[in-house]
Amino acid sequence: VAHFQNSMEFPVNINTTQITTAYGHRALPKLKEELQSEDLQTRQKALMALCDLMHDPECIYKAMSIGCMENLKVLLKDSNSMVRIKTTEVLYITASHSVGRYAFLEHDIVLALSFLLNDLSPVCRGNLYKAYMQLVQVPRGAQEIISKGLISPLVWKLQVEREEEFQELILDTLVLCLREDATEALGSNVVLVLKQKLLSVNENIRSKAAHALLNVSISREGKKQVCKFDVIPILVHLLKDPVEHVKSNAAGALMFATVITEGKYAALEAQAISPLLELLHSPMTVARLNATKALTMLAEAPEGRKVLQVHVPTFRAMEVESHEKPQVAEALQRAARIAVSVIEFKP
């Protein structure tokens, strides 16, 4: 199998830090002209300069106002792989700023980038994934990716990309998109794909996959699929993971999946209560909160309620627990109170 590797070195040297000195107030307009040049090296030099300038939000705003974003869209289709690589680098740097995210939305960059999802250059694809990950940090960015029908392609790329860094970037993007709307993902076998990623030796991939399943399980259809595809036993297994944030996200996914009766009994059958009780003593507040809420769901089943009755003192202690952050203390105390009321419920 052939392997493609792109050098990050251009055939010419350019000191990008001197671009504004060289052109003064004409720096960006001049670069805009050079982006449209028929000369390959001229286009490359302009892109290198832009990579430096786009770290400044003011430059992004000016570049957008003079039409540079449209030039960059054209360069995404350039036949030269190094031009495409540098163009995607400019764009992911741009997307790291709020004004840059606005530019993405205003100029339909999301869709233009998507045509490079299968680019032969891994550097190019990596830049694309970084750009999408930056964009979804705001809800409008996630909604844009969803509206362009890109969830299914991203789920597919999560399966086929071998680079773990790329898998992590795709998962970061999917986590925030799934929070907005999981409909397309649920029709694209996302639960089965995430189930596979829960078994990864990479702790970040395990954690992010569990977080994605948490968001998938918010919807009723998501809960049903998590049960249907036997994901719950794996989530219960992850409650014993050596990494705290993996355990926390697994508990969060169980918290939602166990809302429905199928989920409750699948978790009880997988012996979820014991590791969830251990997680009540986690150093991570969110892990304790997720575990408390998951146990509350299990207590709604008579079998779960019976097992948890002897642990009421643990929840009582949490009801009066203090914390340096008042809002954290309040959230934990409220969750513990609800847990006690459900456990002590008399039918």
Side-chain angles (χ1 to χ4, degrees):
V1 178
H3 295 279
F4 295 88
Q5 185 172 2
N6 292 280
S7 169
M8 291 303 291
E9 298 298 325
F10 279 122
V12 293
N13 295 320
I14 179 171
N15 187 343
T16 58
T17 61
Q18 294 179 359
I19 189 71
T20 51
T21 303
Y23 293 127
H25 71 283
R26 283 276 299 158
L28 281 167
K30 179 66 176 176
L31 288 175
K32 174 179 165 58
E33 292 175 13
E34 294 178 347
L35 291 174
Q36 302 170 73
S37 172
E38 292 185 5
D39 179 68
L40 175 61
Q41 290 191 0
T42 300
R43 297 199 302 278
Q44 291 176 335
K45 288 167 62 178
L47 286 166
M48 287 187 72
L50 274 179
C51 281
D52 185 67
L53 290 175
M54 291 311 219
H55 287 283
D56 182 350
E58 188 175 338
C59 286
I60 295 174
Y61 180 79
K62 185 169 183 182
M64 183 172 64
S65 68
I66 64 173
C68 281
M69 301 306 288
E70 293 300 320
N71 297 132
L72 292 172
K73 282 173 66 175
V74 172
L75 291 178
L76 288 172
K77 303 175 184 177
D78 199 284
S79 60
N80 183 274
S81 64
M82 285 307 303
V83 170
R84 296 196 304 276
I85 287 170
K86 273 300 172 184
T87 304
T88 53
E89 183 178 348
V90 170
L91 289 171
Y92 95 68
I93 293 170
T94 300
S96 67
H97 300 278
S98 58
V99 66
R101 296 179 193 121
Y102 174 78
F104 262 62
L105 300 173
E106 189 74 8
H107 294 274
D108 205 15
I109 301 296
V110 167
L111 189 60
L113 266 175
S114 70
F115 293 105
L116 298 181
L117 278 167
N118 295 314
D119 196 278
L120 292 177
S121 165
V123 180
C124 189
R125 297 198 309 277
N127 289 340
L128 180 156
Y129 298 139
K130 290 175 186 176
Y132 280 178
M133 184 272 290
Q134 294 285 0
L135 183 65
V136 298
Q137 300 309 307
V138 293
R140 277 195 64 200
Q143 291 159 9
E144 178 76 359
I145 286 178
I146 294 167
S147 71
K148 298 302 181 185
L150 295 178
I151 298 302
S152 294
L154 286 172
V155 171
W156 170 248
K157 295 301 291 185
L158 180 58
Q159 294 180 78
V160 299
E161 285 287 8
R162 293 186 178 183
E163 289 285 341
E164 291 186 344
E165 179 191 357
F166 293 175
Q167 293 180 37
E168 289 186 41
L169 289 166
I170 295 169
L171 282 166
D172 283 334
T173 301
L174 287 174
V175 162
L176 294 173
C177 289
L178 292 169
R179 181 186 296 174
E180 296 296 318
D181 186 355
T183 306
E184 183 185 345
L186 287 168
S188 306
N189 291 323
V190 71
V191 173
L192 284 172
V193 176
L194 293 174
K195 177 183 178 181
Q196 180 188 19
K197 297 306 174 186
L198 291 176
L199 304 173
S200 172
V201 296
N202 182 312
E203 65 184 61
N204 291 327
I205 290 176
R206 294 198 305 276
S207 179
K208 294 172 194 291
H211 195 176
L213 280 165
L214 185 161
N215 288 341
V216 163
S217 300
I218 293 173
S219 72
R220 182 166 185 81
E221 178 59 27
K223 294 177 179 68
K224 290 169 67 176
Q225 287 198 22
V226 166
C227 296
K228 176 183 176 181
F229 296 121
D230 296 321
V231 179
I232 286 179
I234 300 175
L235 291 171
V236 172
H237 175 73
L238 290 180
L239 294 175
K240 304 168 188 174
D241 197 276
V243 181
E244 286 296 325
H245 58 84
V246 174
K247 293 190 283 192
S248 176
N249 285 331
L254 286 168
M255 170 184 72
F256 283 111
T258 53
V259 168
I260 63 175
T261 303
E262 282 179 86
K264 286 178 178 39
Y265 283 97
L268 288 170
E269 187 176 340
Q271 307 294 314
I273 288 180
S274 179
L276 283 171
L277 285 168
E278 290 183 24
L279 206 52
L280 294 179
H281 306 288
S282 168
M284 288 182 64
T285 300
V286 66
R288 300 180 66 202
L289 198 56
N290 288 344
T292 302
K293 292 179 178 180
L295 287 165
T296 303
M297 291 296 102
L298 297 182
E300 291 182 349
E303 298 86 344
R305 190 180 311 123
K306 181 179 179 181
V307 174
L308 287 167
Q309 281 174 353
V310 297
H311 297 284
V312 166
T314 301
F315 295 103
R316 290 287 188 198
M318 288 175 64
E319 283 188 85
V320 295
E321 193 175 303
S322 60
H323 195 279
E324 58 184 15
K325 296 180 179 178
Q327 65 271 27
V328 172
E330 184 183 348
L332 284 169
Q333 291 167 6
R334 182 169 59 249
R337 277 197 304 273
I338 295 171
V340 170
S341 67
V342 173
I343 296 168
E344 294 186 333
F345 173 72
K346 306 293 183 184

mmCIF file with all atom_site columns, all heavy atoms in Angstrom, residues 3-21:
data_model
loop_
_atom_site.group_PDB
_atom_site.id
_atom_site.type_symbol
_atom_site.label_atom_id
_atom_site.label_alt_id
_atom_site.label_comp_id
_atom_site.label_asym_id
_atom_site.label_entity_id
_atom_site.label_seq_id
_atom_site.pdbx_PDB_ins_code
_atom_site.Cartn_x
_atom_site.Cartn_y
_atom_site.Cartn_z
_atom_site.occupancy
_atom_site.B_iso_or_equiv
_atom_site.pdbx_formal_charge
_atom_site.auth_seq_id
_atom_site.auth_comp_id
_atom_site.auth_asym_id
_atom_site.auth_atom_id
_atom_site.pdbx_PDB_model_num
ATOM 1   N N   . HIS A 1 3  ? 2.093  4.993  0.687  1.00 0.00 ? 3  HIS A N   1
ATOM 2   C CA  . HIS A 1 3  ? 1.911  5.949  1.782  1.00 0.00 ? 3  HIS A CA  1
ATOM 3   C C   . HIS A 1 3  ? 2.229  7.336  1.265  1.00 0.00 ? 3  HIS A C   1
ATOM 4   O O   . HIS A 1 3  ? 3.257  7.555  0.626  1.00 0.00 ? 3  HIS A O   1
ATOM 5   C CB  . HIS A 1 3  ? 2.823  5.605  2.963  1.00 0.00 ? 3  HIS A CB  1
ATOM 6   C CG  . HIS A 1 3  ? 2.490  4.305  3.602  1.00 0.00 ? 3  HIS A CG  1
ATOM 7   N ND1 . HIS A 1 3  ? 1.466  4.155  4.511  1.00 0.00 ? 3  HIS A ND1 1
ATOM 8   C CD2 . HIS A 1 3  ? 3.038  3.069  3.441  1.00 0.00 ? 3  HIS A CD2 1
ATOM 9   C CE1 . HIS A 1 3  ? 1.402  2.891  4.904  1.00 0.00 ? 3  HIS A CE1 1
ATOM 10  N NE2 . HIS A 1 3  ? 2.341  2.213  4.263  1.00 0.00 ? 3  HIS A NE2 1
ATOM 11  N N   . PHE A 1 4  ? 1.349  8.273  1.552  1.00 0.00 ? 4  PHE A N   1
ATOM 12  C CA  . PHE A 1 4  ? 1.543  9.633  1.080  1.00 0.00 ? 4  PHE A CA  1
ATOM 13  C C   . PHE A 1 4  ? 2.069  10.485 2.217  1.00 0.00 ? 4  PHE A C   1
ATOM 14  O O   . PHE A 1 4  ? 1.524  10.470 3.316  1.00 0.00 ? 4  PHE A O   1
ATOM 15  C CB  . PHE A 1 4  ? 0.207  10.212 0.575  1.00 0.00 ? 4  PHE A CB  1
ATOM 16  C CG  . PHE A 1 4  ? -0.310 9.498  -0.640 1.00 0.00 ? 4  PHE A CG  1
ATOM 17  C CD1 . PHE A 1 4  ? -1.105 8.377  -0.504 1.00 0.00 ? 4  PHE A CD1 1
ATOM 18  C CD2 . PHE A 1 4  ? 0.008  9.935  -1.909 1.00 0.00 ? 4  PHE A CD2 1
ATOM 19  C CE1 . PHE A 1 4  ? -1.583 7.712  -1.615 1.00 0.00 ? 4  PHE A CE1 1
ATOM 20  C CE2 . PHE A 1 4  ? -0.472 9.284  -3.020 1.00 0.00 ? 4  PHE A CE2 1
ATOM 21  C CZ  . PHE A 1 4  ? -1.264 8.161  -2.880 1.00 0.00 ? 4  PHE A CZ  1
ATOM 22  N N   . GLN A 1 5  ? 3.114  11.212 1.948  1.00 0.00 ? 5  GLN A N   1
ATOM 23  C CA  . GLN A 1 5  ? 3.685  12.086 2.968  1.00 0.00 ? 5  GLN A CA  1
ATOM 24  C C   . GLN A 1 5  ? 4.007  13.418 2.330  1.00 0.00 ? 5  GLN A C   1
ATOM 25  O O   . GLN A 1 5  ? 4.634  13.479 1.281  1.00 0.00 ? 5  GLN A O   1
ATOM 26  C CB  . GLN A 1 5  ? 4.934  11.458 3.571  1.00 0.00 ? 5  GLN A CB  1
ATOM 27  C CG  . GLN A 1 5  ? 5.484  12.283 4.737  1.00 0.00 ? 5  GLN A CG  1
ATOM 28  C CD  . GLN A 1 5  ? 6.603  11.554 5.453  1.00 0.00 ? 5  GLN A CD  1
ATOM 29  O OE1 . GLN A 1 5  ? 6.984  10.455 5.051  1.00 0.00 ? 5  GLN A OE1 1
ATOM 30  N NE2 . GLN A 1 5  ? 7.137  12.155 6.484  1.00 0.00 ? 5  GLN A NE2 1
ATOM 31  N N   . ASN A 1 6  ? 3.542  14.488 2.953  1.00 0.00 ? 6  ASN A N   1
ATOM 32  C CA  . ASN A 1 6  ? 3.766  15.818 2.407  1.00 0.00 ? 6  ASN A CA  1
ATOM 33  C C   . ASN A 1 6  ? 4.774  16.565 3.266  1.00 0.00 ? 6  ASN A C   1
ATOM 34  O O   . ASN A 1 6  ? 4.636  16.618 4.489  1.00 0.00 ? 6  ASN A O   1
ATOM 35  C CB  . ASN A 1 6  ? 2.456  16.613 2.393  1.00 0.00 ? 6  ASN A CB  1
ATOM 36  C CG  . ASN A 1 6  ? 1.478  16.051 1.399  1.00 0.00 ? 6  ASN A CG  1
ATOM 37  O OD1 . ASN A 1 6  ? 1.572  16.307 0.214  1.00 0.00 ? 6  ASN A OD1 1
ATOM 38  N ND2 . ASN A 1 6  ? 0.524  15.267 1.889  1.00 0.00 ? 6  ASN A ND2 1
ATOM 39  N N   . SER A 1 7  ? 5.764  17.119 2.634  1.00 0.00 ? 7  SER A N   1
ATOM 40  C CA  . SER A 1 7  ? 6.703  17.969 3.354  1.00 0.00 ? 7  SER A CA  1
ATOM 41  C C   . SER A 1 7  ? 6.028  19.287 3.681  1.00 0.00 ? 7  SER A C   1
ATOM 42  O O   . SER A 1 7  ? 5.263  19.824 2.892  1.00 0.00 ? 7  SER A O   1
ATOM 43  C CB  . SER A 1 7  ? 7.940  18.231 2.493  1.00 0.00 ? 7  SER A CB  1
ATOM 44  O OG  . SER A 1 7  ? 8.731  19.232 3.072  1.00 0.00 ? 7  SER A OG  1
ATOM 45  N N   . MET A 1 8  ? 6.336  19.805 4.873  1.00 0.00 ? 8  MET A N   1
ATOM 46  C CA  . MET A 1 8  ? 5.778  21.092 5.256  1.00 0.00 ? 8  MET A CA  1
ATOM 47  C C   . MET A 1 8  ? 6.676  22.247 4.806  1.00 0.00 ? 8  MET A C   1
ATOM 48  O O   . MET A 1 8  ? 6.424  23.404 5.114  1.00 0.00 ? 8  MET A O   1
ATOM 49  C CB  . MET A 1 8  ? 5.582  21.143 6.771  1.00 0.00 ? 8  MET A CB  1
ATOM 50  C CG  . MET A 1 8  ? 4.487  20.214 7.279  1.00 0.00 ? 8  MET A CG  1
ATOM 51  S SD  . MET A 1 8  ? 2.897  20.535 6.502  1.00 0.00 ? 8  MET A SD  1
ATOM 52  C CE  . MET A 1 8  ? 2.536  22.144 7.215  1.00 0.00 ? 8  MET A CE  1
ATOM 53  N N   . GLU A 1 9  ? 7.751  21.941 4.080  1.00 0.00 ? 9  GLU A N   1
ATOM 54  C CA  . GLU A 1 9  ? 8.683  22.969 3.638  1.00 0.00 ? 9  GLU A CA  1
ATOM 55  C C   . GLU A 1 9  ? 8.341  23.443 2.227  1.00 0.00 ? 9  GLU A C   1
ATOM 56  O O   . GLU A 1 9  ? 8.078  22.649 1.330  1.00 0.00 ? 9  GLU A O   1
ATOM 57  C CB  . GLU A 1 9  ? 10.113 22.414 3.638  1.00 0.00 ? 9  GLU A CB  1
ATOM 58  C CG  . GLU A 1 9  ? 10.602 21.988 5.013  1.00 0.00 ? 9  GLU A CG  1
ATOM 59  C CD  . GLU A 1 9  ? 10.650 23.135 5.987  1.00 0.00 ? 9  GLU A CD  1
ATOM 60  O OE1 . GLU A 1 9  ? 10.957 24.274 5.544  1.00 0.00 ? 9  GLU A OE1 1
ATOM 61  O OE2 . GLU A 1 9  ? 10.374 22.924 7.178  1.00 0.00 ? 9  GLU A OE2 1
ATOM 62  N N   . PHE A 1 10 ? 8.343  24.753 2.037  1.00 0.00 ? 10 PHE A N   1
ATOM 63  C CA  . PHE A 1 10 ? 8.131  25.313 0.708  1.00 0.00 ? 10 PHE A CA  1
ATOM 64  C C   . PHE A 1 10 ? 9.480  25.461 0.006  1.00 0.00 ? 10 PHE A C   1
ATOM 65  O O   . PHE A 1 10 ? 10.527 25.555 0.652  1.00 0.00 ? 10 PHE A O   1
ATOM 66  C CB  . PHE A 1 10 ? 7.460  26.679 0.810  1.00 0.00 ? 10 PHE A CB  1
ATOM 67  C CG  . PHE A 1 10 ? 5.980  26.594 0.998  1.00 0.00 ? 10 PHE A CG  1
ATOM 68  C CD1 . PHE A 1 10 ? 5.372  27.172 2.100  1.00 0.00 ? 10 PHE A CD1 1
ATOM 69  C CD2 . PHE A 1 10 ? 5.198  25.941 0.066  1.00 0.00 ? 10 PHE A CD2 1
ATOM 70  C CE1 . PHE A 1 10 ? 4.006  27.095 2.264  1.00 0.00 ? 10 PHE A CE1 1
ATOM 71  C CE2 . PHE A 1 10 ? 3.827  25.870 0.223  1.00 0.00 ? 10 PHE A CE2 1
ATOM 72  C CZ  . PHE A 1 10 ? 3.230  26.440 1.318  1.00 0.00 ? 10 PHE A CZ  1
ATOM 73  N N   . PRO A 1 11 ? 9.474  25.497 -1.291 1.00 0.00 ? 11 PRO A N   1
ATOM 74  C CA  . PRO A 1 11 ? 10.736 25.608 -2.031 1.00 0.00 ? 11 PRO A CA  1
ATOM 75  C C   . PRO A 1 11 ? 11.391 26.971 -1.907 1.00 0.00 ? 11 PRO A C   1
ATOM 76  O O   . PRO A 1 11 ? 12.496 27.167 -2.364 1.00 0.00 ? 11 PRO A O   1
ATOM 77  C CB  . PRO A 1 11 ? 10.309 25.338 -3.479 1.00 0.00 ? 11 PRO A CB  1
ATOM 78  C CG  . PRO A 1 11 ? 8.863  25.680 -3.524 1.00 0.00 ? 11 PRO A CG  1
ATOM 79  C CD  . PRO A 1 11 ? 8.326  25.328 -2.177 1.00 0.00 ? 11 PRO A CD  1
ATOM 80  N N   . VAL A 1 12 ? 10.688 27.936 -1.308 1.00 0.00 ? 12 VAL A N   1
ATOM 81  C CA  . VAL A 1 12 ? 11.270 29.269 -1.144 1.00 0.00 ? 12 VAL A CA  1
ATOM 82  C C   . VAL A 1 12 ? 11.168 29.685 0.313  1.00 0.00 ? 12 VAL A C   1
ATOM 83  O O   . VAL A 1 12 ? 10.336 29.185 1.053  1.00 0.00 ? 12 VAL A O   1
ATOM 84  C CB  . VAL A 1 12 ? 10.540 30.314 -2.023 1.00 0.00 ? 12 VAL A CB  1
ATOM 85  C CG1 . VAL A 1 12 ? 10.777 30.033 -3.492 1.00 0.00 ? 12 VAL A CG1 1
ATOM 86  C CG2 . VAL A 1 12 ? 9.050  30.327 -1.708 1.00 0.00 ? 12 VAL A CG2 1
ATOM 87  N N   . ASN A 1 13 ? 12.025 30.615 0.724  1.00 0.00 ? 13 ASN A N   1
ATOM 88  C CA  . ASN A 1 13 ? 11.988 31.118 2.091  1.00 0.00 ? 13 ASN A CA  1
ATOM 89  C C   . ASN A 1 13 ? 11.257 32.448 2.129  1.00 0.00 ? 13 ASN A C   1
ATOM 90  O O   . ASN A 1 13 ? 11.380 33.269 1.228  1.00 0.00 ? 13 ASN A O   1
ATOM 91  C CB  . ASN A 1 13 ? 13.414 31.323 2.631  1.00 0.00 ? 13 ASN A CB  1
ATOM 92  C CG  . ASN A 1 13 ? 14.163 30.012 2.739  1.00 0.00 ? 13 ASN A CG  1
ATOM 93  O OD1 . ASN A 1 13 ? 13.576 29.007 3.139  1.00 0.00 ? 13 ASN A OD1 1
ATOM 94  N ND2 . ASN A 1 13 ? 15.446 30.016 2.385  1.00 0.00 ? 13 ASN A ND2 1
ATOM 95  N N   . ILE A 1 14 ? 10.509 32.636 3.204  1.00 0.00 ? 14 ILE A N   1
ATOM 96  C CA  . ILE A 1 14 ? 9.817  33.912 3.375  1.00 0.00 ? 14 ILE A CA  1
ATOM 97  C C   . ILE A 1 14 ? 9.735  34.231 4.849  1.00 0.00 ? 14 ILE A C   1
ATOM 98  O O   . ILE A 1 14 ? 9.432  33.362 5.660  1.00 0.00 ? 14 ILE A O   1
ATOM 99  C CB  . ILE A 1 14 ? 8.387  33.868 2.761  1.00 0.00 ? 14 ILE A CB  1
ATOM 100 C CG1 . ILE A 1 14 ? 7.687  35.213 2.994  1.00 0.00 ? 14 ILE A CG1 1
ATOM 101 C CG2 . ILE A 1 14 ? 7.557  32.738 3.339  1.00 0.00 ? 14 ILE A CG2 1
ATOM 102 C CD1 . ILE A 1 14 ? 6.368  35.336 2.253  1.00 0.00 ? 14 ILE A CD1 1
ATOM 103 N N   . ASN A 1 15 ? 10.042 35.442 5.219  1.00 0.00 ? 15 ASN A N   1
ATOM 104 C CA  . ASN A 1 15 ? 9.941  35.882 6.601  1.00 0.00 ? 15 ASN A CA  1
ATOM 105 C C   . ASN A 1 15 ? 8.561  36.495 6.789  1.00 0.00 ? 15 ASN A C   1
ATOM 106 O O   . ASN A 1 15 ? 8.338  37.660 6.477  1.00 0.00 ? 15 ASN A O   1
ATOM 107 C CB  . ASN A 1 15 ? 11.040 36.906 6.925  1.00 0.00 ? 15 ASN A CB  1
ATOM 108 C CG  . ASN A 1 15 ? 11.065 37.256 8.400  1.00 0.00 ? 15 ASN A CG  1
ATOM 109 O OD1 . ASN A 1 15 ? 10.102 36.998 9.121  1.00 0.00 ? 15 ASN A OD1 1
ATOM 110 N ND2 . ASN A 1 15 ? 12.164 37.841 8.842  1.00 0.00 ? 15 ASN A ND2 1
ATOM 111 N N   . THR A 1 16 ? 7.638  35.680 7.309  1.00 0.00 ? 16 THR A N   1
ATOM 112 C CA  . THR A 1 16 ? 6.254  36.139 7.414  1.00 0.00 ? 16 THR A CA  1
ATOM 113 C C   . THR A 1 16 ? 6.090  37.257 8.436  1.00 0.00 ? 16 THR A C   1
ATOM 114 O O   . THR A 1 16 ? 5.119  38.010 8.381  1.00 0.00 ? 16 THR A O   1
ATOM 115 C CB  . THR A 1 16 ? 5.336  34.969 7.806  1.00 0.00 ? 16 THR A CB  1
ATOM 116 O OG1 . THR A 1 16 ? 5.783  34.409 9.041  1.00 0.00 ? 16 THR A OG1 1
ATOM 117 C CG2 . THR A 1 16 ? 5.333  33.887 6.746  1.00 0.00 ? 16 THR A CG2 1
ATOM 118 N N   . THR A 1 17 ? 7.036  37.370 9.374  1.00 0.00 ? 17 THR A N   1
ATOM 119 C CA  . THR A 1 17 ? 6.903  38.409 10.394 1.00 0.00 ? 17 THR A CA  1
ATOM 120 C C   . THR A 1 17 ? 7.115  39.798 9.812  1.00 0.00 ? 17 THR A C   1
ATOM 121 O O   . THR A 1 17 ? 6.785  40.801 10.429 1.00 0.00 ? 17 THR A O   1
ATOM 122 C CB  . THR A 1 17 ? 7.912  38.186 11.533 1.00 0.00 ? 17 THR A CB  1
ATOM 123 O OG1 . THR A 1 17 ? 9.227  38.243 10.996 1.00 0.00 ? 17 THR A OG1 1
ATOM 124 C CG2 . THR A 1 17 ? 7.682  36.829 12.192 1.00 0.00 ? 17 THR A CG2 1
ATOM 125 N N   . GLN A 1 18 ? 7.696  39.859 8.589  1.00 0.00 ? 18 GLN A N   1
ATOM 126 C CA  . GLN A 1 18 ? 7.988  41.161 7.986  1.00 0.00 ? 18 GLN A CA  1
ATOM 127 C C   . GLN A 1 18 ? 6.975  41.555 6.912  1.00 0.00 ? 18 GLN A C   1
ATOM 128 O O   . GLN A 1 18 ? 7.156  42.563 6.235  1.00 0.00 ? 18 GLN A O   1
ATOM 129 C CB  . GLN A 1 18 ? 9.398  41.140 7.374  1.00 0.00 ? 18 GLN A CB  1
ATOM 130 C CG  . GLN A 1 18 ? 10.488 40.992 8.426  1.00 0.00 ? 18 GLN A CG  1
ATOM 131 C CD  . GLN A 1 18 ? 11.872 40.953 7.807  1.00 0.00 ? 18 GLN A CD  1
ATOM 132 O OE1 . GLN A 1 18 ? 12.013 41.025 6.590  1.00 0.00 ? 18 GLN A OE1 1
ATOM 133 N NE2 . GLN A 1 18 ? 12.890 40.857 8.651  1.00 0.00 ? 18 GLN A NE2 1
ATOM 134 N N   . ILE A 1 19 ? 5.903  40.767 6.806  1.00 0.00 ? 19 ILE A N   1
ATOM 135 C CA  . ILE A 1 19 ? 4.962  41.033 5.717  1.00 0.00 ? 19 ILE A CA  1
ATOM 136 C C   . ILE A 1 19 ? 4.300  42.401 5.861  1.00 0.00 ? 19 ILE A C   1
ATOM 137 O O   . ILE A 1 19 ? 4.142  43.139 4.902  1.00 0.00 ? 19 ILE A O   1
ATOM 138 C CB  . ILE A 1 19 ? 3.908  39.908 5.614  1.00 0.00 ? 19 ILE A CB  1
ATOM 139 C CG1 . ILE A 1 19 ? 3.069  40.075 4.346  1.00 0.00 ? 19 ILE A CG1 1
ATOM 140 C CG2 . ILE A 1 19 ? 2.996  39.860 6.823  1.00 0.00 ? 19 ILE A CG2 1
ATOM 141 C CD1 . ILE A 1 19 ? 3.820  39.774 3.096  1.00 0.00 ? 19 ILE A CD1 1
ATOM 142 N N   . THR A 1 20 ? 3.924  42.773 7.100  1.00 0.00 ? 20 THR A N   1
ATOM 143 C CA  . THR A 1 20 ? 3.278  44.077 7.262  1.00 0.00 ? 20 THR A CA  1
ATOM 144 C C   . THR A 1 20 ? 4.274  45.209 7.078  1.00 0.00 ? 20 THR A C   1
ATOM 145 O O   . THR A 1 20 ? 3.912  46.291 6.625  1.00 0.00 ? 20 THR A O   1
ATOM 146 C CB  . THR A 1 20 ? 2.619  44.183 8.650  1.00 0.00 ? 20 THR A CB  1
ATOM 147 O OG1 . THR A 1 20 ? 3.578  43.829 9.640  1.00 0.00 ? 20 THR A OG1 1
ATOM 148 C CG2 . THR A 1 20 ? 1.431  43.243 8.758  1.00 0.00 ? 20 THR A CG2 1
ATOM 149 N N   . THR A 1 21 ? 5.527  44.937 7.447  1.00 0.00 ? 21 THR A N   1
ATOM 150 C CA  . THR A 1 21 ? 6.560  45.947 7.225  1.00 0.00 ? 21 THR A CA  1
ATOM 151 C C   . THR A 1 21 ? 6.764  46.180 5.734  1.00 0.00 ? 21 THR A C   1
ATOM 152 O O   . THR A 1 21 ? 6.925  47.304 5.266  1.00 0.00 ? 21 THR A O   1
ATOM 153 C CB  . THR A 1 21 ? 7.884  45.505 7.872  1.00 0.00 ? 21 THR A CB  1
ATOM 154 O OG1 . THR A 1 21 ? 7.657  45.268 9.264  1.00 0.00 ? 21 THR A OG1 1
ATOM 155 C CG2 . THR A 1 21 ? 8.954  46.559 7.702  1.00 0.00 ? 21 THR A CG2 1
#
